Amino acid sequence: DAGVTQSPTHLIKTRGQQVTLRCSPKSGHDTVSWYQQALGQGPQFIFQYYEEEERQRGNFPDRFSGHQFPNYSSELNVNALLLGDSALYLCASSYGTALTYNEQFFGPGTRLTVL
Amino acid sequence: QQQVKQSPQSLIVQKGGISIINCAYENTAFDYFPWYQQFPGKGPALLIAIRPDVSEKKEGRFTISFNKSAKQFSLHIMDSQPGDSATYFCAASKSNDMRFGAGTRLTVKP
């Protein structure tokens, strides 16, 4: 079992550009959550996908959007990049949406740098 | 909108010592309180977790103490080892929403 995988590992973009990050969940998991982790900070919840729909959203602007595919993999899209979007983007998967009862497994993250 | 406050930011402990990290939360609706361990270049990994119906949970060298009335919980690492050197995050969750603390960088000196 490869666990949660994310691609790419690192990415450098310029302000105003758009970026797509990808996540494959752990085998058997059907729910994907995305987090933004700024340097020296804890992860901040962006949104959660289940059954190809966004189920919960954190305090992030509409520039952040996502998608979940029938095979449960997911994409995070960020439009009109700002310098402040530079961070480690973490994907976590679980079986079911209730994080109180279903352990989340995190991927290694994608390091996004916006210049 | 920080809902989980964590302290200290950094901690240095001698090998064999006790490491203590504290967290406080605001929302009484939270019903699950995990601790995550993160090594450089890796995603966070669940270390230990507690629900508010118990006051303490122990797994090996790791113990969570939970004070519901004070809305505080803490992680104790007994007999700290150099391999425990990592960043530790507390979190609080309700349903499908999880909020993390800012993290504590632990260094265990040999």
Side-chain angles (χ1 to χ4, degrees):
Chain A
D1 182 6
V4 179
T5 60
Q6 292 186 245
S7 63
T9 305
H10 297 87
L11 205 51
I12 299 174
K13 292 285 188 178
T14 56
R15 279 179 297 175
Q17 284 190 311
Q18 178 264 343
V19 68
T20 297
L21 310 182
R22 295 176 176 84
C23 171
S24 291
K26 182 178 169 65
S27 177
H29 286 183
D30 57 8
T31 301
V32 172
S33 300
W34 286 92
Y35 294 84
Q36 181 194 66
Q37 186 177 17
L39 198 61
Q41 298 296 316
Q44 284 201 50
F45 175 73
I46 303 175
F47 42 53
Q48 183 188 71
Y49 274 84
Y50 172 71
E51 291 187 336
E52 302 180 47
E53 290 186 7
E54 183 182 295
R55 298 292 177 163
Q56 179 87 354
R57 188 178 184 93
N59 189 26
F60 279 81
D62 291 345
R63 299 187 297 110
F64 289 77
S65 63
H67 188 77
Q68 186 179 35
F69 298 94
N71 68 351
Y72 309 118
S73 67
S74 177
E75 288 182 350
L76 164 66
N77 300 291
V78 187
N79 294 322
L81 284 167
L82 303 173
L83 295 178
D85 295 332
S86 295
L88 180 68
Y89 286 85
L90 294 165
C91 168
S93 74
S94 57
Y95 179 68
T97 60
L99 302 180
T100 302
Y101 298 100
N102 302 298
E103 181 181 348
Q104 284 192 108
F105 289 79
F106 283 84
T110 293
R111 173 72 63 188
L112 172 64
T113 302
V114 182
L115 302 177
Chain B
Q1 56 164 17
Q2 187 182 12
Q3 295 194 27
V4 182
K5 295 183 180 181
Q6 182 172 347
S7 63
Q9 266 189 313
S10 63
L11 183 62
I12 300 175
V13 173
Q14 290 295 129
K15 179 183 175 181
I18 302 173
S19 304
I20 302 173
I21 305 171
N22 301 298
C23 279
Y25 63 97
E26 299 171 359
N27 190 342
T28 55
F30 289 137
D31 58 2
Y32 178 66
F33 302 88
W35 285 89
Y36 287 85
Q37 180 187 56
Q38 186 176 28
F39 293 103
K42 303 285 188 181
L46 180 65
L47 189 63
I48 185 172
I50 198 168
R51 300 184 197 284
D53 52 342
V54 296
S55 60
E56 185 175 282
K57 182 174 182 181
K58 183 175 182 179
E59 290 183 359
R61 296 185 294 111
F62 302 92
T63 299
I64 300 178
S65 297
F66 186 83
N67 186 330
K68 189 174 181 178
S69 61
K71 293 189 288 185
Q72 294 176 348
F73 59 111
S74 60
L75 175 69
H76 292 63
I77 306 175
M78 311 299 288
D79 187 26
S80 299
Q81 298 297 312
D84 296 331
S85 296
T87 299
Y88 292 80
F89 295 97
C90 63
S93 174
K94 59 178 174 67
S95 186
N96 56 356
D97 185 9
M98 184 171 287
R99 307 296 171 108
F100 285 79
T104 296
R105 178 174 286 187
L106 171 66
T107 303
V108 181
K109 291 189 172 293

